[in-house]
Every structure is written in structure tokens, then in C-alpha cells.
Amino acid sequence: MNIFYKLLIMFCLLFSEISIGSTEIPVDLSELKCMTDNIYFEARSEPIIGQVLVGKTVINRLQDSKWPNTICKVVYQKSQYSWTASPLNEIDDYKSYALAQSIAFLLLRHKDNEDPYLGDHYLRCDYRDKVSWWKSMRFLGQVGKHCFYTTHL
């Protein structure tokens, strides 16, 4: 099955929440802020599916013992998300920030669900990344300016 078809299915499932009784899943507010900021500053100009996928790289890293064990530590790990290196990040588009927060909330509510979509842990932006680490990884696809990779064969 084409990776983009799988991503479309994931996107549809993510945004079609079904509430059964009172099965509230708590979301840590500091994790929500870190995830929201990451989606907003890293991918706000991307299509919604690209924003979801940037968030999924954080979730997938969180679930892998090679990476830090909290959302905030994953996001702020040195040299992982380019926006974290700049001290001058300001929210100037509140509509986009609200969308990023909605995406972050849904991703965090479902962060313990198994990821059947190839477990992307890595992303890069063609227009700004001058690194070569991605050359040894499996390319999963590109959404907007973000390319997604995995070490899983």
C-alpha cells in the first residue's frame, strides 16, 4: 500500500474521534505545549497531514529507547528540530497555533497506540538542511518541504 494512502487513512482516523462513555485520556499540559510549539514552529506552513507527521516523529521517538523519555526532551534535544536553536520564536498566527494545538492534543491522546505507518523517526527540510545523515535511511515520502525517513527496513 502506498505510504501516502496509509497517511491519509491515519489522518482520517486521527480526526474522527469516537467517544465511548467517559474514557477521558489525560494530557499533560507541559507536553501539550512542547508538542504544539514544535508543530507550529516546525510545520505551520505545511498541509495538515504534514503537521500531523511532524508530530508523529516526536511520538515515535518517544516510544524508542534511543531517544529521550518525555515529549519536551525529545523536542528540545540538541539539533533535532531547527526552530529550537532560535531564541526569538514568537507566535504570530493564532489560528495556525490553535490548529497545531488541536493536532498536538489528538496525537498525545493516542500516543500509546501502535503506529502501523512505518514508524518515521526522522525528518528534514530540503530548503534548509545541509546534513547528510538521511542518505543511509529509508525514504518514506515528502509532504510539503518535509521529507520523512526511517531506519526500519
Side-chain angles (χ1 to χ4, degrees), residues 47-112:
I48 292 174
I49 191 66
Q51 294 179 47
V52 170
L53 289 172
V54 167
K56 283 297 290 175
T57 63
V58 176
I59 298 295
N60 290 338
R61 290 176 181 191
L62 182 68
Q63 295 172 342
D64 188 326
S65 62
K66 293 186 292 191
W67 300 91
N69 61 356
T70 71
I71 296 289
C72 293
K73 287 179 182 176
V74 168
V75 168
Y76 287 98
Q77 185 177 15
K78 187 177 180 175
S79 302
Q80 295 303 307
Y81 295 96
S82 59
W83 70 271
T84 61
S86 172
L88 303 174
N89 295 305
E90 293 185 23
I91 299 163
D92 57 4
D93 180 350
Y94 293 100
K95 184 177 176 183
S96 293
Y97 194 81
L99 175 61
Q101 188 174 50
S102 297
I103 294 168
F105 180 79
L106 290 171
L107 286 169
L108 291 173
R109 280 200 59 198
H110 299 283
K111 72 180 178 184
D112 295 326

Side-chain angles (χ1 to χ4, degrees), residues 15 31 119 124:
F15 286 97
E31 287 190 344
R124 69 180 182 93

Side-chain angles (χ1 to χ4, degrees), residues 86-152:
S86 172
L88 303 174
N89 295 305
E90 293 185 23
I91 299 163
D92 57 4
D93 180 350
Y94 293 100
K95 184 177 176 183
S96 293
Y97 194 81
L99 175 61
Q101 188 174 50
S102 297
I103 294 168
F105 180 79
L106 290 171
L107 286 169
L108 291 173
R109 280 200 59 198
H110 299 283
K111 72 180 178 184
D112 295 326
N113 292 3
E114 183 178 339
D115 181 10
Y117 304 101
L118 298 174
D120 56 317
H121 290 74
Y122 304 92
L123 64 101
R124 69 180 182 93
C125 305
D126 282 335
Y127 67 96
R128 67 175 174 229
D129 286 348
K130 306 289 188 251
V131 296
S132 61
W133 54 257
W134 54 272
K135 292 179 181 177
S136 64
M137 296 184 187
R138 181 174 168 215
F139 175 73
L140 296 175
Q142 182 171 350
V143 177
K145 295 178 181 172
H146 286 88
C147 298
F148 297 88
Y149 299 86
T150 186
T151 55
H152 302 288

